[in-house]
Short mmCIF file of all heavy atoms in Angstrom, two decimals:
data_model
loop_
_atom_site.label_atom_id
_atom_site.label_comp_id
_atom_site.label_asym_id
_atom_site.label_seq_id
_atom_site.Cartn_x
_atom_site.Cartn_y
_atom_site.Cartn_z
N MET A 1 150.25 80.20 39.81
CA MET A 1 149.34 80.53 38.75
C MET A 1 147.88 80.36 39.17
O MET A 1 147.04 81.12 38.75
CB MET A 1 149.63 79.65 37.53
CG MET A 1 150.89 80.05 36.81
SD MET A 1 150.65 81.68 36.19
CE MET A 1 151.03 81.53 34.53
N ARG A 2 147.59 79.35 39.94
CA ARG A 2 146.21 79.08 40.32
C ARG A 2 145.78 79.91 41.54
O ARG A 2 144.63 79.90 41.91
CB ARG A 2 146.02 77.61 40.62
CG ARG A 2 146.20 76.75 39.41
CD ARG A 2 146.01 75.31 39.75
NE ARG A 2 146.34 74.50 38.59
CZ ARG A 2 145.52 73.62 38.08
NH1 ARG A 2 144.34 73.43 38.64
NH2 ARG A 2 145.86 72.93 37.04
N PHE A 3 146.70 80.58 42.12
CA PHE A 3 146.39 81.38 43.30
C PHE A 3 145.53 82.61 42.95
O PHE A 3 144.65 82.99 43.70
CB PHE A 3 147.68 81.83 43.98
CG PHE A 3 147.45 82.62 45.24
CD1 PHE A 3 146.94 82.01 46.38
CD2 PHE A 3 147.73 83.97 45.29
CE1 PHE A 3 146.72 82.72 47.53
CE2 PHE A 3 147.51 84.70 46.43
CZ PHE A 3 147.00 84.07 47.55
N HIS A 4 145.75 83.20 41.82
CA HIS A 4 145.04 84.41 41.40
C HIS A 4 143.53 84.17 41.24
O HIS A 4 142.72 84.94 41.76
CB HIS A 4 145.66 84.97 40.12
CG HIS A 4 145.08 86.29 39.74
ND1 HIS A 4 143.98 86.39 38.92
CD2 HIS A 4 145.44 87.55 40.06
CE1 HIS A 4 143.68 87.66 38.77
NE2 HIS A 4 144.56 88.39 39.44
N PRO A 5 143.06 83.12 40.54
CA PRO A 5 141.61 82.88 40.45
C PRO A 5 140.99 82.55 41.80
O PRO A 5 139.87 82.96 42.10
CB PRO A 5 141.49 81.69 39.50
CG PRO A 5 142.76 81.64 38.74
CD PRO A 5 143.80 82.22 39.64
N LEU A 6 141.71 81.82 42.64
CA LEU A 6 141.20 81.48 43.96
C LEU A 6 141.02 82.74 44.81
O LEU A 6 140.01 82.90 45.51
CB LEU A 6 142.15 80.51 44.66
CG LEU A 6 141.74 80.05 46.05
CD1 LEU A 6 140.44 79.25 45.98
CD2 LEU A 6 142.84 79.25 46.69
N LEU A 7 141.98 83.64 44.74
CA LEU A 7 141.89 84.89 45.48
C LEU A 7 140.73 85.76 45.00
O LEU A 7 140.01 86.34 45.81
CB LEU A 7 143.21 85.65 45.37
CG LEU A 7 143.30 86.95 46.17
CD1 LEU A 7 143.19 86.66 47.66
CD2 LEU A 7 144.59 87.67 45.87
N SER A 8 140.52 85.82 43.70
CA SER A 8 139.42 86.64 43.17
C SER A 8 138.07 86.06 43.56
O SER A 8 137.13 86.80 43.87
CB SER A 8 139.54 86.78 41.66
OG SER A 8 139.43 85.52 41.04
N VAL A 9 137.92 84.74 43.58
CA VAL A 9 136.66 84.11 44.00
C VAL A 9 136.43 84.37 45.50
O VAL A 9 135.32 84.66 45.93
CB VAL A 9 136.68 82.60 43.69
CG1 VAL A 9 135.52 81.89 44.36
CG2 VAL A 9 136.66 82.37 42.19
N LEU A 10 137.48 84.29 46.29
CA LEU A 10 137.37 84.56 47.72
C LEU A 10 136.94 86.00 47.99
O LEU A 10 136.04 86.24 48.80
CB LEU A 10 138.70 84.28 48.41
CG LEU A 10 138.74 84.52 49.92
CD1 LEU A 10 137.83 83.54 50.62
CD2 LEU A 10 140.15 84.43 50.43
N LEU A 11 137.53 86.95 47.29
CA LEU A 11 137.14 88.35 47.46
C LEU A 11 135.70 88.58 47.00
O LEU A 11 134.96 89.37 47.60
CB LEU A 11 138.09 89.26 46.71
CG LEU A 11 139.49 89.39 47.31
CD1 LEU A 11 140.39 90.20 46.40
CD2 LEU A 11 139.43 90.00 48.69
N LEU A 12 135.28 87.91 45.95
CA LEU A 12 133.90 88.03 45.48
C LEU A 12 132.93 87.50 46.53
O LEU A 12 131.90 88.13 46.82
CB LEU A 12 133.72 87.28 44.16
CG LEU A 12 132.32 87.29 43.58
CD1 LEU A 12 131.94 88.70 43.15
CD2 LEU A 12 132.21 86.31 42.44
N CYS A 13 133.25 86.38 47.14
CA CYS A 13 132.38 85.80 48.18
C CYS A 13 132.30 86.71 49.40
O CYS A 13 131.24 86.85 50.01
CB CYS A 13 132.87 84.42 48.58
SG CYS A 13 132.65 83.18 47.30
N VAL A 14 133.41 87.31 49.77
CA VAL A 14 133.43 88.19 50.94
C VAL A 14 132.57 89.44 50.69
O VAL A 14 131.88 89.91 51.59
CB VAL A 14 134.88 88.57 51.29
CG1 VAL A 14 134.93 89.71 52.29
CG2 VAL A 14 135.62 87.37 51.82
N THR A 15 132.56 89.95 49.49
CA THR A 15 131.76 91.15 49.21
C THR A 15 130.28 90.83 49.07
O THR A 15 129.44 91.69 49.32
CB THR A 15 132.24 91.84 47.93
OG1 THR A 15 132.18 90.91 46.85
CG2 THR A 15 133.64 92.37 48.09
N ILE A 16 129.94 89.60 48.69
CA ILE A 16 128.53 89.23 48.52
C ILE A 16 127.86 88.93 49.85
O ILE A 16 126.69 89.25 50.06
CB ILE A 16 128.41 88.02 47.56
CG1 ILE A 16 128.79 88.44 46.15
CG2 ILE A 16 127.01 87.44 47.59
CD1 ILE A 16 128.82 87.30 45.17
N ILE A 17 128.58 88.31 50.78
CA ILE A 17 127.99 87.92 52.06
C ILE A 17 127.64 89.17 52.86
O ILE A 17 128.49 90.02 53.12
CB ILE A 17 128.97 87.03 52.86
CG1 ILE A 17 129.22 85.73 52.09
CG2 ILE A 17 128.43 86.74 54.25
CD1 ILE A 17 130.29 84.86 52.69
N PRO A 18 126.36 89.31 53.30
CA PRO A 18 125.98 90.50 54.07
C PRO A 18 126.54 90.45 55.49
O PRO A 18 126.72 89.39 56.06
CB PRO A 18 124.45 90.43 54.08
CG PRO A 18 124.14 88.99 53.93
CD PRO A 18 125.24 88.40 53.08
N LYS A 19 126.79 91.62 56.00
CA LYS A 19 127.28 91.72 57.37
C LYS A 19 126.08 91.66 58.32
O LYS A 19 125.06 92.29 58.11
CB LYS A 19 128.03 93.03 57.57
CG LYS A 19 129.32 93.08 56.78
CD LYS A 19 130.04 94.40 56.99
CE LYS A 19 131.37 94.41 56.31
NZ LYS A 19 131.35 94.14 54.90
N GLY A 20 126.22 90.91 59.39
CA GLY A 20 125.15 90.79 60.38
C GLY A 20 125.24 91.85 61.44
O GLY A 20 126.32 92.38 61.72
N ASN A 21 124.12 92.19 62.04
CA ASN A 21 124.09 93.14 63.16
C ASN A 21 124.29 92.34 64.43
O ASN A 21 123.41 91.60 64.85
CB ASN A 21 122.76 93.89 63.22
CG ASN A 21 122.58 94.81 62.05
OD1 ASN A 21 123.56 95.22 61.44
ND2 ASN A 21 121.36 95.14 61.71
N THR A 22 125.44 92.48 65.03
CA THR A 22 125.73 91.74 66.25
C THR A 22 125.99 92.72 67.37
O THR A 22 126.26 93.89 67.15
CB THR A 22 126.97 90.85 66.07
OG1 THR A 22 128.07 91.67 65.74
CG2 THR A 22 126.75 89.82 64.99
N GLY A 23 125.90 92.23 68.57
CA GLY A 23 126.24 93.04 69.72
C GLY A 23 125.06 93.74 70.38
O GLY A 23 125.23 94.38 71.39
N LEU A 24 123.87 93.65 69.81
CA LEU A 24 122.71 94.28 70.44
C LEU A 24 121.88 93.23 71.16
O LEU A 24 121.64 92.14 70.64
CB LEU A 24 121.82 94.96 69.40
CG LEU A 24 122.32 96.28 68.83
CD1 LEU A 24 121.34 96.79 67.79
CD2 LEU A 24 122.48 97.31 69.91
N ILE A 25 121.42 93.56 72.34
CA ILE A 25 120.51 92.71 73.08
C ILE A 25 119.17 92.74 72.34
O ILE A 25 118.79 93.78 71.81
CB ILE A 25 120.36 93.25 74.53
CG1 ILE A 25 121.72 93.28 75.21
CG2 ILE A 25 119.37 92.44 75.33
CD1 ILE A 25 121.73 93.97 76.54
N PRO A 26 118.42 91.63 72.30
CA PRO A 26 117.16 91.62 71.54
C PRO A 26 116.19 92.74 71.91
O PRO A 26 115.55 93.32 71.05
CB PRO A 26 116.57 90.25 71.87
CG PRO A 26 117.73 89.41 72.18
CD PRO A 26 118.74 90.32 72.83
N GLY A 27 116.08 93.08 73.19
CA GLY A 27 115.20 94.17 73.60
C GLY A 27 115.67 95.52 73.07
O GLY A 27 114.87 96.36 72.66
N THR A 28 116.97 95.72 73.06
CA THR A 28 117.54 96.97 72.54
C THR A 28 117.33 97.07 71.04
O THR A 28 117.00 98.14 70.52
CB THR A 28 119.05 97.03 72.86
OG1 THR A 28 119.23 96.84 74.25
CG2 THR A 28 119.64 98.36 72.46
N LYS A 29 117.51 95.97 70.34
CA LYS A 29 117.33 95.97 68.89
C LYS A 29 115.88 96.30 68.53
O LYS A 29 115.61 97.11 67.66
CB LYS A 29 117.71 94.61 68.32
CG LYS A 29 117.61 94.55 66.81
CD LYS A 29 117.86 93.14 66.31
CE LYS A 29 119.29 92.92 66.00
NZ LYS A 29 119.55 91.60 65.40
N ARG A 30 114.94 95.69 69.23
CA ARG A 30 113.53 95.95 68.94
C ARG A 30 113.15 97.38 69.30
O ARG A 30 112.38 98.02 68.61
CB ARG A 30 112.62 94.98 69.68
CG ARG A 30 111.17 95.21 69.32
CD ARG A 30 110.25 94.19 69.83
NE ARG A 30 110.50 92.92 69.20
CZ ARG A 30 109.96 91.79 69.62
NH1 ARG A 30 109.18 91.79 70.66
NH2 ARG A 30 110.22 90.66 69.01
N CYS A 31 113.69 97.88 70.40
CA CYS A 31 113.42 99.27 70.79
C CYS A 31 113.91 100.23 69.72
O CYS A 31 113.22 101.18 69.37
CB CYS A 31 114.10 99.56 72.13
SG CYS A 31 113.74 101.18 72.80
N THR A 32 115.08 99.97 69.17
CA THR A 32 115.62 100.82 68.11
C THR A 32 114.76 100.73 66.85
O THR A 32 114.51 101.73 66.19
CB THR A 32 117.07 100.41 67.79
OG1 THR A 32 117.82 100.44 68.99
CG2 THR A 32 117.70 101.35 66.80
N MET A 33 114.28 99.54 66.52
CA MET A 33 113.44 99.37 65.34
C MET A 33 112.10 100.09 65.49
O MET A 33 111.51 100.53 64.52
CB MET A 33 113.18 97.89 65.08
CG MET A 33 114.39 97.18 64.52
SD MET A 33 114.25 95.38 64.37
CE MET A 33 112.59 95.11 63.94
N LEU A 34 111.62 100.25 66.72
CA LEU A 34 110.36 100.94 66.98
C LEU A 34 110.55 102.44 67.22
O LEU A 34 109.67 103.09 67.75
CB LEU A 34 109.66 100.32 68.19
CG LEU A 34 109.18 98.88 67.98
CD1 LEU A 34 108.70 98.31 69.29
CD2 LEU A 34 108.09 98.85 66.94
N LYS A 35 111.69 102.96 66.85
CA LYS A 35 112.01 104.39 66.96
C LYS A 35 112.05 104.86 68.41
O LYS A 35 111.72 105.99 68.71
CB LYS A 35 111.01 105.26 66.18
CG LYS A 35 110.78 104.85 64.76
CD LYS A 35 112.01 105.07 63.91
CE LYS A 35 111.66 104.79 62.47
NZ LYS A 35 112.69 104.15 61.73
N GLY A 36 112.46 103.97 69.31
CA GLY A 36 112.58 104.33 70.71
C GLY A 36 114.04 104.42 71.11
O GLY A 36 114.95 104.26 70.31
N LYS A 37 114.27 104.68 72.40
CA LYS A 37 115.63 104.70 72.92
C LYS A 37 115.63 104.12 74.33
O LYS A 37 114.66 104.24 75.07
CB LYS A 37 116.23 106.10 72.91
CG LYS A 37 115.44 107.14 73.64
CD LYS A 37 116.08 108.50 73.48
CE LYS A 37 115.20 109.56 74.12
NZ LYS A 37 115.77 110.88 74.02
N CYS A 38 116.72 103.48 74.67
CA CYS A 38 116.86 102.84 75.98
C CYS A 38 117.41 103.85 76.98
O CYS A 38 118.41 104.52 76.71
CB CYS A 38 117.80 101.65 75.88
SG CYS A 38 117.18 100.37 74.81
N GLN A 39 116.73 103.96 78.12
CA GLN A 39 117.15 104.90 79.15
C GLN A 39 117.20 104.19 80.49
O GLN A 39 116.37 103.34 80.78
CB GLN A 39 116.17 106.07 79.23
CG GLN A 39 116.11 106.90 77.97
CD GLN A 39 115.10 108.03 78.07
OE1 GLN A 39 114.26 108.05 78.95
NE2 GLN A 39 115.19 108.97 77.15
N GLU A 40 118.16 104.59 81.31
CA GLU A 40 118.30 103.98 82.63
C GLU A 40 117.33 104.54 83.66
O GLU A 40 116.81 103.82 84.48
CB GLU A 40 119.73 104.15 83.13
CG GLU A 40 120.73 103.32 82.39
CD GLU A 40 122.11 103.42 82.97
OE1 GLU A 40 122.25 103.82 84.15
OE2 GLU A 40 123.07 103.10 82.25
N LYS A 41 117.09 105.83 83.61
CA LYS A 41 116.32 106.48 84.67
C LYS A 41 114.81 106.41 84.46
O LYS A 41 114.05 106.74 85.35
CB LYS A 41 116.75 107.93 84.81
CG LYS A 41 118.20 108.07 85.22
CD LYS A 41 118.60 109.51 85.36
CE LYS A 41 120.05 109.62 85.74
NZ LYS A 41 120.50 111.00 85.85
N GLY A 42 114.37 106.05 83.30
CA GLY A 42 112.94 106.02 83.02
C GLY A 42 112.56 107.06 81.99
O GLY A 42 113.39 107.79 81.48
N CYS A 43 111.28 107.10 81.69
CA CYS A 43 110.79 107.98 80.62
C CYS A 43 110.42 109.36 81.17
O CYS A 43 110.04 109.49 82.33
CB CYS A 43 109.56 107.34 79.98
SG CYS A 43 109.88 105.69 79.37
N THR A 44 110.52 110.36 80.30
CA THR A 44 110.12 111.71 80.68
C THR A 44 108.61 111.86 80.50
O THR A 44 107.93 110.92 80.10
CB THR A 44 110.85 112.76 79.82
OG1 THR A 44 110.47 112.58 78.46
CG2 THR A 44 112.36 112.62 79.94
N THR A 45 108.10 113.05 80.75
CA THR A 45 106.65 113.28 80.65
C THR A 45 106.16 113.28 79.20
O THR A 45 104.99 113.04 78.95
CB THR A 45 106.28 114.62 81.30
OG1 THR A 45 107.05 115.66 80.70
CG2 THR A 45 106.54 114.58 82.79
N THR A 46 107.05 113.52 78.23
CA THR A 46 106.63 113.51 76.83
C THR A 46 106.86 112.15 76.16
O THR A 46 106.68 112.02 74.97
CB THR A 46 107.40 114.58 76.02
OG1 THR A 46 108.78 114.31 76.09
CG2 THR A 46 107.07 115.97 76.54
N GLU A 47 107.27 111.16 76.94
CA GLU A 47 107.53 109.83 76.40
C GLU A 47 106.67 108.80 77.12
O GLU A 47 106.19 109.04 78.22
CB GLU A 47 109.01 109.46 76.59
CG GLU A 47 109.96 110.37 75.87
CD GLU A 47 111.41 110.10 76.23
OE1 GLU A 47 111.68 109.54 77.30
OE2 GLU A 47 112.26 110.46 75.42
#
């Protein structure tokens, strides 16, 4: 009987907690925020 309220509170907490952005290197994240892109070979003449 008490399992149902506990489950509903757990689901509510899971939906409220925001998802974090993980997996990006700090330099890559900042480059993306500045509307740039990471390239291996270097920049072109228009960049």
Side-chain angles (χ1 to χ4, degrees):
M1 286 297 233
R2 294 180 186 235
F3 182 70
H4 187 270
L6 181 64
L7 183 63
S8 63
V9 169
L10 180 66
L11 288 174
L12 178 67
C13 290
V14 167
T15 57
I16 291 175
I17 296 173
K19 293 180 175 56
N21 293 336
T22 60
L24 285 178
I25 301 171
T28 306
K29 182 186 269 185
R30 183 171 294 169
C31 185
T32 305
M33 286 172 36
L34 294 171
K35 309 293 187 218
K37 56 184 175 179
C38 297
Q39 297 178 345
E40 289 185 20
K41 297 180 181 179
C43 305
T44 62
T45 55
T46 60
E47 298 172 336

